[in-house]
Amino acid sequence: MERAAQQAVPLGQMEVFQALQRLHMTIFSQSVSPCGKFLAAGNNYGQIAIFSLSAALSSEAKEESKKPMVTFQAHDGPVYSMVSTDRHLLSAGDGEVKAWLWAEILKKVSVELGEGRGTQTQREPLRPPSAWGHRESYDSAIIQQAFLSMKGCKELWRRQPPYRTSLEVPEINALLLVPKENLLILAGGDCQLHAMDLETGTFMWALRGHTDYIHCLALRERSPEVLSGGEDGAVRLWGKECRIGGKTGGKGGWGEEDASHGSSSADLRTAKEVQTIEVYKHEECSRPHNGRWIGCLATDSDWMVCGGGPALTLWHLRSSTPTTVFPMRAPQKHVTFYQDLILSAGQGRCVNQWQLSGELKAQVPGSSPGLLSLSLNQQPAAPECKVLTAAGNSCRVDVFTNLGYRAFSLSF
Amino acid sequence: MSSESSKKRKPKVIRSDGAPAEGKRTRSDTEQEGKYYSEEAEVDLRDPGRDYELYKYTCQELQRLMAEIQDLKSRGGKDAAVEIEDRRIQSCVHFMTLKKLNRLAHIRLKKGRDQTHEAKQKVDAYHLQLQNLLYEVMHLQKEITKCLEFKSKHEEIDLVSLEEFYKEAPPDISKAEVTMGDPHQQTLARLDWELEQRKRLAEKYRECLSNKEKILKEIEVKKEYLSSLQPRLNSIMQASLPVQEYLFMPFDQAHKQYETARHLPPPLYVLFVQATAYGQACDKMLSVAIEGSVDEAKALFKPPEDSQDDESDSDAEEEQTTKRRRPTLGVQLDDKRKEMLKRHPLSVLLDLKCKDDSVLHLTFYYLMNLNIMTVKARVTTATELITPISAGDLLSPDSVLSCLYPGDHGKKTPNPANQYQFDKVGILTLRDYVLDLGHPYLWVQKLGGLHFPKEQPQHTVITDHSLSASHMETTMKLLKTRVQSRLALHKQFASLAKLQAAVVLNPGYSSIPPIFQLCLNWKGEKTNNNDDNIRAMESEVNVCYKELCGPRPGHQLLTNQLQRLCVLLDVYLETESHDDSVEGPKEFPQEKMCLRLFRGPSRIKPFKYNHPQGFFSHR
């Protein structure tokens, strides 16, 4: 697809091609800017679009404020995962992780649009689209122009984890920030967890143990800190110390044997696989006809919720027993704890809200036939933009201003 | 401002009440206000004690002046009026002083009241706060007692004693250094240990139960065996009696078969011997058997007796039959035809097993009077095949083996001599009978060692082992590939029948590509709404159409898209993960080479074909 995109297309067919691309678009990942006012969304063609939440949510929002402020080609393959630090947007998918400066992106946006519109936005670099939205003739040509020029947008840096080479470059399915150690953990096609030091950009170590590719990662505030779920049907917990009551698996271990200096500043450095939960082996939640893969994972203190091929299930980690099996037939692709609820999404139009007891509290329909990611914008910097966004098998990002209904959709 | 002015007006009212005479005085408000301002401030400066002194002094002065005035009036002197006037003025001044003192007293009073009020309010607020705090204390005390009284469920659990716990529990559960000083952690650890132990015990219990079950079953089986042993022993004893009499070597299977083979007609015998030899030497998957009645075959081998009997009988019979059959010449001819097409009662059965457990059953017959061999074929597969309409006769016995060698349809007789025989009984061609008799393929004759040179009528045919042997291997291999390719074709038809594709063609085809929408009816209806891979397949043909345009101007796009769709469907079906809980092999075994089955969060299958290497990978 991406190669097709780069081919020189005769004029007039461009529109057809773009329409087809939109028709078959999948949005894999979302990330909110550190200021909380912008949302980045990455699709299967390797493009990242920047939407302005504040403009779309403002009272004088127009149709065009629900379009991306800018779209740029970030990767050759799909953008499977994105996270934001306080300055950077990190995106990954086709084996590489790239960092973009948020400030740079937003500055570029305003400059491009400023040139397109004349001189009026030069004075206010970070003006949201609604500010110039009162000019009626905001048209796609400008977006087009911005898009074309953003093709040249350069990433701050790019890194590739040390793969054991195979014919195919393994993809990266999940990124996870460990703020207290300034680490980025990457996981995906090569069945390993790679840790990158964000300070130096070096890959410090890798965790091995999964027997098939990894779908998802989650962070926990107590040891074991990092959880990973994969196609092999197991949730693996990585931490420093042995856990009470858990089945300790000795299979996993660090790539490099430098466990000697276990200083408190690098807790994870001495970590190893301390607990394995093979979800598909539990009769309560296993569904062999769907496969054994774990597609989503979230934790809250001693609790974990995971789903995928097996049913969405709430687990007590200390005793590694399933406590609640949520009655949802469709495989779930994203799950998160929110206050005293669990939000989940997957195959099907709806965002599902669950009580911890297993009761379905609500199903809120969105506009995509299947959902892949949910994002809760809880940036304290922009309380007016506190929304839930959901994206998946369409070119639209649904915005929920409260948990009860879909307010509107942002669209590529 | 307003509150200030009302404050200032108040003393004015009081004053006018207290001394109404003053109201008549004409003084501007501003003057008054100015004065009051100063008076309110004055209050703080003046000492109340001295004011009291002043008051007393003024009163005395007034009394004195009044007394003097009275005195003067009672005396009634001429100059008294002047004196009185003088006194009056003096007393007026004293009155002024009194009035001022009165005002000051009022202001003082008000101030005092205000202060009292303020203090009272403060006290009230403190009191309220105190009450609140007291209530809170009470509430907290209640909560504390509630907490203290809280009965956790774990208290009902009988835990092992502390010493025992530290002695027996593994250190990663007991964690002595943490739990020794912290009774809460200690209880948690003990509970964990309790859970662990109970889990183990439950496991043990289950194990013991299953063990018990197993042993019970074993006992049952052994009992049955023992109880059946006695009658069996008896029967063996009886059965062994005649054996002991004969004292023969036991006949094994092969022996029996060779015995039967002796009765085979020469071509079938050649086939049998060659096939057995080939099976033993080269191909273990080939099994050979003989079917049919040996007795009938034996009967055929005693022609002299039989013919005599026949003749003697036939004379008698002739009359009967002629009586019966004469009426129609057709019936007679029918009989003759039947006689001509008669098969040898024995037939050779070849079972050719392929790698995927599908079996080709071949039954070879020998037509005695025509001196040719025919074959009937049947294919059985390991899994139940769902036959779609389009794949109807792919595996039918009639056509599965046709044209194994070029031009060999198996409809004509390979023996040129037969044509003359047919003419006699009025058979036009063998074609009408092949369904019943089997197909006389050329390779079948060769396997039986029968060789019919073309265009040489009445050539005597002898069965030839070398001819059969030379053809055996190639034919068997051809047969195998034929069956496998037919099965593969069948599978493809079967899979295609499950796919529905809706195509939208724009008038601007082929510069505007067609759009496909798919629906797969396999294990439930799958569309792009409920299956990401169907969506990916659509995307492969719809979005990546530029790869499929072919040479310019790309008129083959639709054809190429359809072809691509077939390949995609094959990949889809073959890589579908197999449900372990369902018995039996996969419906669509994997034949394509793939690096990985799934990739990414959507678990997309490898739809991209890498041309020279010939494997499938992800886009």
Side-chain angles (χ1 to χ4, degrees):
Chain A
M1 286 161 225
E2 68 286 349
R3 242 176 293 120
Q6 282 154 13
Q7 273 171 17
V9 181
L11 209 71
Q13 285 194 16
M14 192 67 185
E15 286 75 21
V16 177
F17 183 65
Q18 280 179 345
L20 281 173
Q21 274 202 333
R22 259 203 297 284
L23 186 67
H24 290 279
M25 194 178 286
T26 304
I27 300 177
F28 283 108
S29 52
Q30 310 173 58
S31 182
V32 178
S33 69
C35 64
K37 289 181 181 160
F38 299 93
L39 179 76
N43 69 11
N44 54 335
Y45 306 111
Q47 298 163 345
I48 293 179
I50 309 291
F51 297 97
S52 169
L53 284 176
S54 56
L57 286 165
S58 72
S59 53
E60 66 259 30
K62 298 219 162 45
E63 263 320 295
E64 52 265 32
S65 34
K66 290 161 190 167
K67 285 277 174 192
M69 298 172 61
V70 74
T71 309
F72 57 95
Q73 191 73 36
H75 291 265
D76 287 342
V79 185
Y80 287 137
S81 184
M82 286 197 289
V83 288
S84 287
T85 66
D86 47 3
R87 287 176 62 224
H88 301 130
L89 172 68
L90 305 174
S91 66
D94 52 355
E96 264 188 328
V97 58
K98 294 187 182 181
W100 317 79
L101 267 178
W102 267 109
E104 196 85 358
I105 293 172
L106 298 177
K107 202 166 79 192
K108 193 124 186 167
V109 168
S110 62
V111 168
E112 292 304 333
L113 291 169
E115 280 167 8
R117 304 227 43 89
T119 55
Q120 67 184 120
T121 51
Q122 289 289 18
R123 270 164 274 127
E124 258 182 279
L126 290 186
R127 200 125 65 117
S130 65
W132 29 256
H134 57 80
R135 288 269 299 260
E136 245 44 62
S137 60
Y138 179 81
D139 54 19
S140 60
I142 291 162
I143 291 183
Q144 190 68 40
Q145 194 184 348
F147 172 75
L148 290 173
S149 46
M150 278 304 278
K151 265 187 176 171
C153 186
K154 193 89 179 89
E155 71 274 3
L156 189 66
W157 47 257
R158 55 161 85 184
R159 296 277 185 280
Q160 184 165 20
Y163 296 124
R164 299 176 168 180
T165 49
S166 64
L167 279 163
E168 225 178 5
V169 178
E171 80 281 12
I172 296 172
N173 286 327
L175 297 176
L176 179 71
L177 283 171
V178 187
K180 90 173 181 212
E181 291 174 38
N182 205 18
L183 275 182
L184 177 71
I185 297 182
L186 306 91
D190 67 342
C191 317
Q192 302 182 30
L193 281 80
H194 295 278
M196 195 186 94
D197 187 2
L198 280 175
E199 192 92 26
T200 60
T202 50
F203 286 93
M204 321 253 297
W205 32 257
L207 287 166
R208 284 188 276 279
H210 277 284
T211 56
D212 205 334
Y213 78 90
I214 299 171
H215 274 285
C216 48
L217 294 170
L219 189 67
R220 205 165 155 238
E221 71 274 23
R222 58 177 80 172
S223 186
E225 289 175 60
V226 179
L227 289 85
S228 60
E231 183 75 16
D232 58 355
V235 173
R236 290 170 205 272
L237 288 82
W238 313 88
K240 195 174 65 169
E241 58 188 66
C242 285
R243 291 269 316 134
I244 294 170
K247 291 171 209 161
T248 52
K251 290 171 283 177
W254 294 105
E256 286 111 66
E257 295 296 329
D258 56 350
S260 49
H261 37 92
S263 63
S264 59
S265 63
D267 268 357
L268 276 168
R269 188 184 283 266
T270 57
K272 61 180 185 224
E273 183 175 349
V274 291
Q275 196 178 344
T276 309
I277 299 175
E278 285 170 303
V279 178
Y280 64 94
K281 286 192 179 164
H282 290 258
E283 269 173 39
E284 302 94 317
C285 49
S286 89
R287 297 188 294 198
H289 57 279
N290 281 342
R292 47 174 73 167
W293 53 281
I294 298 296
C296 54
L297 191 61
T299 54
D300 188 6
S301 68
D302 256 344
W303 302 94
M304 170 189 84
V305 61
C306 68
L312 191 69
T313 314
L314 182 68
W315 290 76
H316 185 237
L317 283 177
R318 224 150 53 83
S319 57
S320 56
T321 41
T323 47
T324 313
V325 179
F326 298 97
M328 171 57 64
R329 289 180 58 179
Q332 298 295 289
K333 299 281 177 71
H334 193 108
V335 68
T336 177
F337 284 94
Y338 176 66
Q339 292 168 355
D340 55 345
L341 292 176
I342 289 173
L343 307 181
S344 79
Q347 221 177 64
R349 301 194 156 269
C350 296
V351 175
N352 307 305
Q353 303 172 18
W354 304 94
Q355 313 272 22
L356 292 183
S357 58
E359 261 172 76
L360 183 62
K361 190 188 167 221
Q363 278 192 305
V364 188
S367 67
S368 304
L371 293 173
L372 286 170
S373 75
L374 300 174
S375 160
L376 268 163
N377 181 7
Q378 288 174 312
Q379 288 291 349
E384 76 278 6
C385 297
K386 190 183 170 191
V387 290
L388 171 72
T389 48
N393 288 343
S394 75
C395 59
R396 292 176 294 279
V397 181
D398 293 336
V399 179
F400 301 81
T401 45
N402 66 31
L403 291 183
Y405 61 92
R406 176 179 72 95
F408 57 87
S409 297
L410 306 166
S411 172
F412 257 87
Chain B
M1 273 291 277
S2 63
S3 66
E4 224 176 309
S5 64
S6 71
K7 247 186 198 171
K8 281 160 206 158
R9 219 159 278 143
K10 226 175 183 177
K12 183 178 130 195
V13 175
I14 292 166
R15 185 205 57 189
S16 58
D17 282 348
E22 289 274 320
K24 287 165 193 165
R25 288 218 188 158
T26 51
R27 270 188 190 171
S28 70
D29 267 358
T30 50
E31 267 178 303
Q32 276 184 13
E33 267 179 39
K35 198 172 176 186
Y36 285 7
Y37 258 120
S38 58
E39 272 186 352
E40 265 180 21
E42 222 180 323
V43 167
D44 296 329
L45 298 174
R46 294 175 71 116
D47 178 25
R50 284 181 52 194
D51 277 353
Y52 176 64
E53 291 298 319
L54 182 64
Y55 164 75
K56 269 202 330 205
Y57 166 74
T58 318
C59 285
Q60 275 173 4
E61 280 300 294
L62 267 176
Q63 270 177 349
R64 186 180 55 82
L65 286 170
M66 291 297 157
E68 277 176 11
I69 290 169
Q70 195 182 24
D71 206 34
L72 283 173
K73 276 198 175 168
S74 59
R75 258 187 270 155
K78 183 78 169 84
D79 51 341
V82 183
E83 289 270 329
I84 287 168
E85 188 62 21
D86 187 44
R87 297 287 187 282
R88 201 173 65 86
I89 289 167
Q90 276 183 26
S91 55
C92 271
V93 173
H94 284 304
F95 269 120
M96 292 293 286
T97 315
L98 273 183
K99 276 181 76 78
K100 177 165 175 94
L101 285 175
N102 177 268
R103 278 200 304 279
L104 288 177
H106 273 293
I107 290 168
R108 279 210 183 92
L109 181 68
K110 185 179 167 287
K111 264 198 176 164
R113 266 195 202 135
D114 284 353
Q115 273 168 3
T116 320
H117 187 70
E118 236 169 72
K120 205 183 149 201
Q121 261 183 338
K122 238 183 222 171
V123 169
D124 278 352
Y126 283 133
H127 187 70
L128 193 69
Q129 211 177 341
L130 175 71
Q131 274 186 328
N132 277 343
L133 285 172
L134 282 175
Y135 182 77
E136 210 169 307
V137 166
M138 205 170 66
H139 178 74
L140 286 174
Q141 273 167 345
K142 247 192 226 165
E143 286 289 302
I144 289 168
T145 46
K146 224 189 264 174
C147 285
L148 287 175
E149 279 167 13
F150 172 74
K151 279 258 177 285
S152 171
K153 261 202 175 150
H154 82 267
E155 283 167 33
E156 295 163 19
I157 300 172
D158 234 359
L159 293 173
V160 294
S161 72
L162 256 176
E163 301 83 58
E164 216 176 310
F165 167 66
Y166 280 116
K167 216 165 61 191
E168 285 176 4
D172 65 315
I173 287 181
S174 67
K175 284 204 257 175
E177 73 281 359
V178 184
T179 54
M180 273 300 193
D182 187 345
H184 176 68
Q185 287 297 333
Q186 192 177 54
T187 316
L188 278 182
R190 286 174 72 188
L191 282 171
D192 275 327
W193 174 232
E194 183 70 25
L195 177 67
E196 185 67 29
Q197 273 183 318
R198 285 189 186 203
K199 268 185 186 169
R200 282 185 204 172
L201 287 173
E203 190 67 30
K204 217 173 182 178
Y205 174 68
R206 240 194 328 251
E207 249 171 53
C208 289
L209 265 187
S210 64
N211 223 359
K212 186 186 153 199
E213 201 83 349
K214 221 164 72 188
I215 290 168
L216 272 179
K217 246 181 215 164
E218 257 172 50
I219 291 172
E220 199 68 25
V221 168
K222 279 183 182 163
K223 261 189 188 163
E224 236 168 69
Y225 177 70
L226 282 177
S227 61
S228 69
L229 205 55
Q230 187 58 37
R232 252 162 67 190
L233 281 174
N234 286 343
S235 65
I236 287 172
M237 288 278 277
Q238 276 187 341
S240 66
L241 282 175
V243 177
Q244 283 169 352
E245 275 177 35
Y246 278 117
L247 273 177
F248 261 119
M249 289 285 284
F251 284 109
D252 65 24
Q253 186 74 20
H255 232 89
K256 252 186 208 161
Q257 229 175 26
Y258 289 135
E259 191 61 28
T260 328
R262 278 189 11 219
H263 302 287
L264 284 172
L268 286 181
Y269 186 74
V270 169
L271 173 72
F272 174 76
V273 171
Q274 290 297 334
T276 322
Y278 177 75
Q280 280 169 358
C282 308
D283 193 347
K284 294 278 179 279
M285 307 297 263
L286 181 73
S287 69
V288 188
I290 297 172
E291 268 188 348
S293 148
V294 184
D295 292 340
E296 275 184 48
K298 275 182 188 161
L300 278 177
F301 265 94
K302 299 175 216 158
E305 291 170 40
D306 277 344
S307 60
Q308 271 184 359
D309 275 0
D310 270 350
E311 259 170 63
S312 56
D313 281 351
S314 63
D315 284 336
E317 243 173 61
E318 189 95 341
E319 278 171 63
Q320 293 175 346
T321 49
T322 43
K323 266 180 198 168
R324 254 185 268 144
R325 293 178 190 170
R326 204 156 281 163
T328 49
L329 194 71
V331 173
Q332 215 173 359
L333 265 177
D334 244 20
D335 271 1
K336 278 190 180 165
R337 277 179 208 154
K338 264 185 198 162
E339 178 64 26
M340 183 164 287
L341 298 175
K342 202 172 169 190
R343 302 197 286 222
H344 192 273
L346 288 179
S347 57
V348 174
L349 194 71
L350 285 189
D351 282 357
L352 203 57
K353 229 186 231 175
C354 298
K355 272 177 206 136
D356 57 348
D357 279 358
S358 51
V359 185
L360 175 67
H361 306 274
L362 294 172
T363 317
F364 292 92
Y365 301 101
Y366 177 59
L367 304 185
M368 294 178 289
N369 294 324
L370 295 178
N371 193 22
I372 54 172
M373 287 169 72
T374 60
V375 67
K376 277 188 179 178
R378 193 162 53 86
V379 179
T380 53
T381 51
T383 45
E384 197 73 16
L385 283 181
I386 308 121
T387 310
I389 306 150
S390 52
D393 56 357
L394 274 179
L395 291 176
S396 81
D398 194 30
S399 66
V400 69
L401 293 178
S402 89
C403 291
L404 195 66
Y405 288 96
D408 191 0
H409 293 276
K411 305 260 160 128
K412 277 191 301 195
T413 168
N415 188 351
N418 295 156
Q419 203 53 49
Y420 298 98
Q421 292 171 292
F422 288 158
D423 286 345
K424 273 188 206 160
V425 291
I427 298 177
L428 271 172
T429 157
L430 194 63
R431 183 184 289 259
D432 310 326
Y433 301 90
V434 288
L435 212 63
D436 196 31
L437 295 172
H439 292 265
Y441 297 109
L442 276 172
W443 56 267
V444 179
Q445 319 307 323
K446 284 177 180 161
L447 283 186
L450 296 170
H451 185 63
F452 304 104
K454 280 176 186 171
E455 312 297 334
Q456 274 196 357
Q458 296 295 74
H459 179 88
T460 43
V461 185
I462 42 142
T463 57
D464 181 3
H465 276 260
S466 60
L467 180 67
S468 171
S470 64
H471 274 83
M472 182 59 79
E473 189 169 352
T474 42
T475 308
M476 286 301 149
K477 277 181 183 157
L478 275 172
L479 281 171
K480 267 192 183 175
T481 45
R482 164 62 60 94
V483 171
Q484 269 164 348
S485 60
R486 275 296 163 102
L487 282 174
L489 194 60
H490 186 276
K491 195 193 78 185
Q492 208 164 26
F493 269 109
S495 63
L496 276 179
K498 287 172 184 137
L499 185 74
Q500 297 169 5
V503 190
V504 182
L505 268 174
N506 189 287
Y509 175 83
S510 61
S511 61
I512 295 170
I515 295 180
F516 284 73
Q517 185 163 20
L518 310 178
C519 174
L520 181 69
N521 285 305
W522 185 58
K523 297 185 181 173
E525 193 179 83
K526 298 186 174 180
T527 64
N528 62 9
N529 273 346
N530 58 23
D531 193 319
D532 288 340
N533 276 305
I534 296 287
R535 200 160 176 266
M537 283 162 67
E538 286 177 11
S539 160
E540 284 284 334
V541 288
N542 290 345
V543 182
C544 304
Y545 65 91
K546 292 202 185 69
E547 300 167 11
L548 303 169
C549 281
R552 280 182 174 276
H555 292 313
Q556 293 171 19
L557 176 58
L558 188 60
T559 326
N560 290 347
Q561 278 180 320
L562 284 170
Q563 193 190 2
R564 177 101 177 97
L565 202 56
C566 292
V567 176
L568 293 176
L569 183 66
D570 279 353
V571 173
Y572 179 94
L573 293 174
E574 286 175 17
T575 54
E576 189 61 23
S577 55
H578 186 235
D579 188 351
D580 295 330
S581 65
V582 179
E583 291 288 317
K586 285 170 80 164
E587 188 176 345
F588 298 99
Q590 192 177 333
E591 287 163 2
K592 309 254 184 312
M593 199 160 70
C594 305
L595 288 181
R596 271 172 63 188
L597 291 187
F598 299 105
R599 181 181 165 115
S602 298
R603 308 181 73 242
I604 299 297
K605 299 176 177 201
F607 288 129
K608 184 178 153 192
Y609 182 66
N610 295 280
H611 170 56
Q613 298 92 345
F615 62 87
F616 285 82
S617 69
H618 291 84
R619 191 171 281 279

